[in-house]
Amino acid sequence: MQLAKRLKASAQLFYYRYELTTALYMLEFWEKCIFNVLVVLGFVLCLYTSINYMPEAVNEWARNAADYFPTLASALNTSLGIISPPIAMKVDL
């Protein structure tokens, strides 16, 4: 029970600091909701983009690093392609 109270108190403190930092304390409730929805949407889009495109970028970085560090090329040749995006999507245009 003590842990739940501490978590609740720290969450309230975090939200209080968030409101003070972003000056949300002077907005009305519906304006706060719109702003918070936009912030959460931005975080969700960043997370989605990271999950989908980061594996491809890491593979590309590894291939480029192999060009500059030839001793790593043999190690990377066996490990390239292991990282794959978790969501496979096909788009037909």
Side-chain angles (χ1 to χ4, degrees):
M1 200 63 181
Q2 188 69 12
L3 178 65
K5 287 182 182 179
R6 284 194 319 205
L7 286 174
K8 181 180 176 184
S10 63
Q12 287 175 340
L13 179 62
F14 175 78
Y15 187 72
Y16 177 72
R17 288 180 181 169
Y18 166 71
E19 276 195 339
L20 287 178
T21 303
T22 56
L24 290 177
Y25 62 90
M26 63 181 149
L27 297 178
E28 293 181 15
F29 177 74
W30 65 273
E31 293 170 326
K32 286 182 187 181
C33 288
I34 291 174
F35 184 81
N36 288 331
V37 164
L38 292 175
V39 168
V40 168
L41 183 65
F43 277 122
V44 167
L45 289 175
C46 286
L47 181 66
Y48 173 78
T49 303
S50 298
I51 289 172
N52 273 334
Y53 299 111
M54 189 58 76
E56 183 179 328
V58 169
N59 281 336
E60 186 66 29
W61 295 337
R63 285 188 199 99
N64 290 339
D67 292 340
Y68 292 106
F69 303 105
T71 56
L72 295 176
S74 62
L76 288 175
N77 284 336
T78 60
S79 65
L80 286 179
I82 290 175
I83 302 173
S84 61
I87 301 171
M89 297 173 55
K90 286 190 174 184
V91 178
D92 296 328
L93 297 176

